[in-house]
Amino acid sequence: MSTVENTAVKRELEDASDEGIASNTNGGLMKRQVIVPVTKPRIHYTPLKTGLCYDVRMRYHAKIFTSYFEYIDPHPEDPRRIYRIYKILAENGLINDPMLSGVDEIGDLMLKIPVREATREEILEVHSKEHLDFLEKTEKMSREELLKETEKGDSVYYNNDSLSSAKSSCGGAIEACKSVVEGRVKNALAVVRPPGHHSEPESSGGFCLFSNVAVAAKNILKSYPESVRRIMILDWDIHHGNGTQKAFYDDDRVLYVSLHRFELGKYYPGTVHGQYDQTGEGKGEGFNCNITWPVGNVGDAEYMWAFEQIVMPMGREFQPDLVIISSGFDAADGDTIGQCHVTPSCYGHMTHMMKSLARGNLAVILEGGYNLDSIAKSALAVTKVLVGEPPDELPEPTKDTKPEALEMVDKIIRLQSKYWKCFKRNCGNAGCDFKEPITETILSKNFPLQTAIRQQQLQNLLLDNYKFVTLPLVNQKLSEDTVFCSQNVYDASTLVVVVHDTPDIWAARNVITGTIEPSSSIIVDSGLQFIKWAVKRNYGLIDINIPQSLFEQDNYSAMITAQEVLLYLWDNYIKFSTNVQKIAFVGIGDASSGIIHLMGHRDTRNNVKAIISFIGSKQLKPLVPLVDESLTDWYFKNSLVFSDKNHSCWGDNENKKPRKKYGRVLRCETDGINNIVEERFEEATDFILDSFEEWSDSE
C-alpha cells in the first residue's frame, strides 16, 4: 500500500473514531459504545440574565429651589443619582442604551424589568393609611404648601411628582424581588429613588417616603408563602434603616442585619433603636442585628471583618429563601456625608459573599449614596458581580481593622450568641447559670474574678512583702481592699499615687466550652512596676484599685467611682499631709479619668509635679478647669498621656495632635495597655524624676 493510501486510511479511521466508530482486528469498522450521551447543562442559574429596574420618571421627584444657592449646590438626594448609575452601566457595556432613555431591550447580560407603581394595598402592608393619605395630597398641593411640608419634615422634601416617584420606587423594588423569586432572572438590581429605609410606618424621614425594601419583603412573603418563607435583609447603607427594622422587629421570618455608624446615637437617625443591643422582640427576638460603628472613617477592613465574623455565619444558619440588600453607597470612599472609605472592590466582595446564600436569589435595591462618582463606581462593581464577574482584589488587603470595630464585633457576637449556634462556640459558658447573682463573697457560685485578682495582689505583694496598710474610705460603699498605702505615707516628702483598673488576664480558652483554662492563664499587672519602682526609691505610695462594674455594660460607673475616690482621698488625706512636697499620679486604663477630674476640680499645683496616664485604646478625657482657666496649660506641661498606636484620636493623619486640654498625648508603637507600659515605663519614670528634680537611674 502506498504512502498516499496509508494516509487516506488513517484519516478515515480518525473520522470514524470521532463518530463513535472503531476498527476491528480484521480492518473492518464497528460502532463504539456510548458511555455518557451528550446532555444539556443541568443548571438553571448561569444561563439567566441579571434583572435591571430603572425608569427616568423617578427623577421627577426633586427639591423645589428657593434660591440661587440651592441651584448651584443641590440637595444630596439628587435626581442624577440613578442617572449616573445607569450611565456607567452603559459606558462599561453591561447594558445597551446609546440615548440613555430607558429602552426595553438592553443587551445580552441584563434583562429590563418594567417599573410600575406600587398599589395602595401593597403599600398598606407596611405603612399606615394616614401616611399614604398625606402623600397622596402632595400631588395637588400648591408650591407654598409643599415648601411648608418640606420645612416641617424630617430631612425630606416634596413636589407634585413625589408620590408618583415614590410609588414607582416602591413598585420597582417589588418587581425586582418578584422576578428573582419567579426565576425570570438570576438576580436583580433596582436603580430606584427616592430611597426607603428611613421611612417608618407612620411617617417619612431621611430622604425616604415609602419603605421600599420593607414593602417588597412583606408582599413577597404574602404572595409566595410556599417558596419564600424566610428573607434576609442586609442593609449596608451608612445610616441605620430604622424604618425597615421597625417593620420586622417582631417577625421571625425576616432577619434584618444593618451595618451603620452610630457613635452613641449622634449619627442620623440617632435613635436608641439603632444600638447594637436591639435584637428584636416577641417572635422576632434574635432576628435583628445592628452592627454599629462607634467611629467614622471605617472602610474595607472593618466591613470585611464584620461580614466574615457576623453577617455570613448568621446568613448561613438562617438559610433564607431570598436575600435583599438595602444598598446605600454612602459608606463609599469619597462620600462627604458618610465620611467612610469602602471601595468598589469591597462592595463587589460583599455582593459575592451574599450570592452564596439563598441559592443565589438576590435582589439589590438602591438606598442612599450622595457622591455621584462614588455611587456610580460602587454600583458598577456590584453589578459586575451580579452578572457573573469575580470581584476585583481589595486595594489594601492587609490593612488593620480599627480596634473600636474589633471590640464592637466581639460585643455583638457575645450578645447574639444567645440566639445563634454559629456564635456559641466563641462564647460558650460551660453551663454556667448567669441568672444566679454575682456577689463579692467567695462562697458564691458566681464569683467575680477581679475580686480574686485583687486579693492575690494584696496577699502576695502589698501585704506580705511591703507591709502595706488599708486606707479607709468612709461611706464610699466600696470594698476594704480598694485603697492600700505604704507605712511611710505620712512621713515621706515624695508621694506616688497609682490608680488602675483591674489587671488584664492573658488566658488560654477552651474552644468548645468557652471557659478559661487556669493552668495556662496568667495575670498581667503593669501597675506593679510602678509600685516596685516607688518602694525602691522609698517614696510614699498609695495604690488604688478601681473595680469595673459587674452590672453596667460599658463601665461608666467605674470612671465615676475613680473620680469620687480621688476627690475623697485628696480632701480627706493628701492635702493634710504636711510632709508631702512632691506628688506624682500614675493612671492606668479608665481609672486615669479620676486623676484628670481631680486636677480640674481642685488646685493641686503646689504639690503635684507629674501626671502619667496609660489609656491604651480608651477614650481621651479632657481636663475641665473649674478652678482656674490656666490649669489647661499647666496640665499639658506636667503630663504624659500614652495611647495605643491605633487609637482613634490619631485618625489617618500622622501629623494630627490632640488639643492641649487632653494633656501631652503621645502615640506608642504598640497596642494594648500592658504593651505600652512596657514600652514607655522608663520614659514615664524619667519624666517623674525630672519633675521631682531628681536623677534618673539610667543617667
Side-chain angles (χ1 to χ4, degrees), residues 268-293:
Y268 187 89
T271 68
V272 295
H273 305 296
Q275 177 61 293
Y276 76 93
D277 59 1
Q278 301 295 297
T279 58
E281 63 184 14
K283 290 196 303 181
E285 184 174 359
F287 293 92
N288 196 84
C289 179
N290 289 326
I291 303 173
T292 52
W293 304 129

Side-chain angles (χ1 to χ4, degrees), residues 127-190:
H127 292 284
S128 66
K129 180 178 180 297
E130 292 74 17
H131 176 57
L132 180 55
D133 290 345
F134 164 74
L135 288 177
E136 287 176 341
K137 292 177 184 177
T138 61
E139 288 187 300
K140 298 180 180 179
M141 285 184 182
S142 66
R143 173 185 170 90
E144 289 71 26
E145 289 174 320
L146 289 167
L147 289 173
K148 183 178 179 181
E149 293 298 335
T150 297
E151 184 69 25
K152 287 165 51 179
D154 175 19
S155 300
V156 289
Y157 59 77
Y158 305 100
N159 69 5
N160 295 131
D161 293 308
S162 294
L163 175 66
S164 175
S165 294
K167 281 185 173 181
S168 297
S169 182
C170 196
I174 296 171
E175 288 302 308
C177 293
K178 282 180 65 176
S179 64
V180 172
V181 170
E182 293 176 356
R184 290 182 278 128
V185 295
K186 60 185 174 186
N187 47 48
L189 172 69

Side-chain angles (χ1 to χ4, degrees), residues 385-586:
V385 172
L386 290 178
V387 299
E389 283 290 291
D392 293 334
E393 292 185 5
L394 296 172
E396 295 182 89
T398 60
K399 187 174 182 180
D400 290 337
T401 305
K402 288 181 179 292
E404 298 89 346
L406 291 173
E407 291 177 352
M408 180 53 65
V409 167
D410 184 65
K411 280 184 179 180
I412 293 164
I413 289 174
R414 292 182 182 278
L415 179 66
Q416 293 287 346
S417 67
K418 294 191 296 182
Y419 312 109
W420 298 90
K421 291 182 180 179
C422 57
F423 300 137
K424 289 188 184 298
R425 178 163 292 181
N426 293 332
C427 307
N429 57 32
C432 297
D433 179 12
F434 291 109
K435 294 180 181 179
E436 181 175 324
I438 300 173
T439 66
E440 297 291 340
T441 171
I442 202 165
L443 298 178
S444 168
K445 176 184 176 183
N446 290 340
F447 177 61
L449 186 58
Q450 64 181 7
T451 302
I453 293 173
R454 183 59 171 169
Q455 290 177 356
Q456 187 273 340
Q457 278 181 323
L458 298 174
Q459 192 63 42
N460 290 349
L461 181 70
L462 302 184
L463 298 182
D464 291 351
N465 292 348
Y466 296 149
K467 310 302 180 186
F468 276 30
V469 295
T470 305
L471 202 59
L473 299 176
V474 181
N475 297 325
Q476 292 297 300
K477 297 181 180 179
L478 292 170
S479 64
E480 295 180 357
D481 57 19
T482 299
V483 182
F484 276 74
C485 64
S486 59
Q487 293 189 16
N488 66 339
V489 71
Y490 292 110
D491 302 323
S493 62
T494 303
L495 177 65
V496 174
V497 181
V498 180
V499 53
H500 55 84
D501 298 340
T502 300
D504 290 341
I505 298 174
W506 283 349
R509 189 177 63 87
N510 186 300
V511 70
I512 305 299
T513 64
T515 56
I516 291 174
E517 297 178 353
S519 61
S520 305
S521 305
I522 58 173
I523 297 169
V524 185
D525 191 352
S526 301
L528 292 180
Q529 295 185 63
F530 288 98
I531 293 174
K532 293 177 181 178
W533 174 81
V535 169
K536 181 180 178 181
R537 302 189 72 87
N538 204 33
Y539 294 154
L541 190 132
I542 298 177
D543 176 80
I544 308 168
N545 178 76
I546 302 297
Q548 301 290 298
S549 168
L550 297 175
F551 305 102
E552 293 202 16
Q553 208 164 26
D554 295 319
N555 285 311
Y556 294 116
S557 63
M559 289 186 280
I560 294 172
T561 299
Q563 295 170 8
E564 293 175 347
V565 169
L566 265 295
L567 285 175
Y568 180 89
L569 289 175
W570 182 267
D571 292 341
N572 292 278
Y573 292 106
I574 299 175
K575 77 175 184 180
F576 295 115
S577 299
T578 55
N579 292 326
V580 173
Q581 303 297 318
K582 296 174 287 188
I583 303 173
F585 283 92
V586 178

Side-chain angles (χ1 to χ4, degrees), residues 31 199 535:
K31 192 169 183 179
S199 178
V535 169

Side-chain angles (χ1 to χ4, degrees), residues 122-127 169-170 173-174 177 195-201 210-222 231 233 235 241-249 251 253-254 256 324-326 365 367:
E122 288 171 332
I123 293 170
L124 291 177
E125 286 291 321
V126 170
H127 292 284
S169 182
C170 196
I174 296 171
C177 293
H197 71 153
H198 292 311
S199 178
E200 297 200 351
F210 292 132
S211 190
N212 302 327
V213 168
V215 171
K218 284 275 190 181
N219 282 280
I220 291 295
L221 288 168
K222 179 181 179 182
I231 296 177
I233 299 175
D235 190 337
N242 52 298
T244 311
Q245 174 175 300
K246 192 168 185 178
F248 300 107
Y249 202 61
D251 194 337
R253 299 174 300 168
V254 175
Y256 178 69
I324 305 175
I325 298 179
S326 267
I365 315 296
E367 294 285 359

